[in-house]
Amino acid sequence: MQQQIIKGIQNGDRRMAARAISLIENEDVTRYSILSELFPLAGKAYVIGITGAPGAGKSSLVDRLLVTLRKRGLTVGVIAVDPTSPFTGGAILGDRIRMQEHALDKDIFIRSMGTRGSLGGLSRATKDAIQVLDAFGKDIVIVETVGVGQSEVDIIKYADTTLVVLTPAGGDSVQTIKAGIMEIADVFVVNKADLAGADRTVSEVSMMLDLGGTNRRWRPPIVRTITMDGTGTDEMYASIQQHREYLQESGQITKLREERARRDVIDLVEYRIKSSVWGQVSGSAEFEGLISRIMARELDPYTAAVQILGSINLDNCSV
Ligand SMILES: Nc1nc2c(ncn2[C@@H]2O[C@H](COP(=O)(O)OP(=O)(O)O)[C@@H](O)[C@H]2O)c(=O)[nH]1
Ligand SMILES: [Mg+2]
């Protein structure tokens, strides 16, 4: 089965790419050996992250971007991450009719991913799914994720160029945007520019960028878009291209990838240890016994942790 999946991905079989992502989502035991065989095939895709509040227009912008990319003959993979929705089983973004039309295009692969357990599993699964689509030969991989919480910020770290989508609506005025999100933006998109207040949002972002000082060599451009008529789509694409050129010419892309490789290995080690520990400890009689004793103040959590460490077996982490 494993060889069939790898061969299939090499031969452009969509079902096999989908199968690999399902195995990743299900935390199947075979996923790591599949991913390690896929690794040599990957490394060519350019990853675009798109994040912002729910309803900001991310999916609509992805729609527009897909048309632009396809016109240029580029093949695209889309991963829509929605941590607020339960495990989706790989359903296509049902809310977007046009997305579904795109789904019929064989050079576009769309997949949504939902919450899966704890332990940063979604971020891990997304990173691995990007690698599958990269190995599958997609020129561009777009990751759409709701800009709330740490795990979404983590996901976006896998992107080469990150778009942060804002809207003129008072609700997500720049002041309320989390600092973390501001820092990860390579391009700001002020969507719904047809609504009142777009100018104010643009100048607020611009002011925040000025306050940020000049230590950033790349000043994120601010693009206005209206997804209904496509206003700003070309400019958005041009900004992505400019950022991509900047990364290449400055050598930043190599630094980024090196940093990512480092983080990836550490993440994997951490993730596997955590999963193993969780599997052995959570719900076990020993663990519950320790908790009761802590509650009765007969035992402190520091000593309990040391006791647990002495009893767990980490041999299965590398399986
Ligand atoms: N007025 C206006 N509405 C928009 C625009 N782009 C998207 N919308 C609407 O905003 C809502 C959320 O869009 P969606 O793309 O699903 O947002 P997401 O949750 O960020 O993916 C939908 O009802 C869209 O029709 C825009 O440029 N202007
Ligand atoms: Mg969406």
Side-chain angles (χ1 to χ4, degrees):
M1 190 62 225
Q2 214 165 303
Q3 284 316 309
Q4 196 186 333
I5 290 174
I6 289 151
K7 279 260 144 44
I9 288 174
Q10 266 174 308
N11 297 330
D13 184 342
R14 306 170 65 90
R15 287 166 314 159
M16 290 302 130
R19 180 75 63 84
I21 296 177
S22 297
L23 293 175
I24 289 165
E25 270 184 325
N26 295 332
E27 301 182 337
D28 190 88
V29 285
T30 62
R31 71 198 186 285
Y32 290 131
S33 58
I34 292 173
L35 285 161
S36 71
E37 285 204 57
L38 289 179
F39 184 80
L41 304 174
K44 295 180 210 81
Y46 194 78
V47 183
I48 300 172
I50 177 158
T51 189
K58 298 176 297 298
S59 298
S60 313
L61 288 162
V62 170
D63 243 15
R64 288 282 172 186
L65 203 51
L66 280 173
V67 175
T68 305
L69 294 167
R70 291 297 298 127
K71 265 194 214 143
R72 284 162 175 79
L74 296 163
T75 61
V76 195
V78 180
I79 301 168
V81 184
D82 192 349
T84 59
S85 79
F87 182 50
T88 53
I92 282 171
L93 301 166
D95 58 331
R96 307 301 308 166
I97 289 164
R98 217 142 14 109
M99 279 276 198
Q100 283 173 336
E101 281 170 26
H102 287 310
L104 300 174
D105 179 339
K106 69 171 176 39
D107 289 316
I108 292 179
F109 186 102
I110 299 174
R111 175 70 175 231
S112 56
M113 297 178 94
T115 321
R116 188 78 188 160
S118 48
L119 314 169
L122 188 56
S123 172
R124 180 73 249 155
T126 305
K127 202 255 168 306
D128 292 338
I130 293 171
Q131 198 195 286
V132 170
L133 296 183
D134 185 348
F136 191 45
K138 294 292 173 240
D139 300 313
I140 307 282
V141 177
I142 301 176
V143 181
E144 175 191 331
T145 180
V146 180
V148 289
Q150 186 55 44
S151 76
E152 294 68 63
V153 175
D154 287 346
I155 290 166
I156 234 67
K157 282 181 186 159
Y158 302 124
D160 298 313
T161 297
T162 298
L163 310 180
V164 169
V165 183
L166 307 171
T167 58
D172 41 359
S173 163
V174 174
Q175 285 80 4
T176 67
I177 294 164
K178 289 209 304 294
I181 293 284
M182 286 300 283
E183 280 156 21
I184 61 170
D186 300 309
V187 176
F188 284 100
V189 178
V190 177
N191 188 40
K192 308 195 184 182
D194 52 307
L195 302 181
D199 288 342
R200 204 193 83 200
T201 306
V202 170
S203 57
E204 279 177 345
V205 174
S206 182
M207 236 160 58
M208 282 196 65
L209 290 173
D210 291 340
L211 288 174
T214 50
N215 53 346
R216 280 180 78 151
R217 281 191 293 165
W218 170 259
R219 184 185 166 98
I222 309 167
V223 184
R224 292 161 208 245
T225 54
I226 303 172
T227 62
M228 284 87 78
D229 64 6
T231 299
T233 308
D234 289 342
E235 210 186 332
M236 174 171 69
Y237 181 66
S239 298
I240 296 169
Q241 284 296 91
Q242 278 158 23
H243 183 248
R244 185 176 184 170
E245 279 158 26
Y246 157 76
L247 289 180
Q248 263 143 11
E249 280 158 19
S250 63
Q252 277 291 108
I253 191 85
T254 313
K255 276 196 202 151
L256 248 167
R257 301 227 152 127
E258 185 184 324
E259 204 180 292
R260 217 174 281 167
R262 254 175 238 288
R263 190 171 47 226
D264 198 18
V265 175
I266 292 177
D267 275 359
L268 273 169
V269 170
E270 249 180 35
Y271 181 71
R272 297 184 79 153
I273 291 178
K274 268 195 204 169
S275 305
S276 172
V277 169
W278 200 247
Q280 292 176 61
V281 172
S282 158
S284 75
E286 186 200 357
F287 182 61
E288 292 309 320
L290 292 175
I291 299 300
S292 305
R293 290 177 56 209
I294 292 170
M295 294 308 286
R297 299 252 147 199
E298 293 163 18
L299 179 72
D300 67 84
Y302 314 94
T303 309
V306 173
Q307 226 166 295
I308 291 273
L309 276 170
S311 72
I312 53 178
N313 171 9
L314 289 181
D315 292 349
N316 67 345
C317 284
S318 49
V319 178

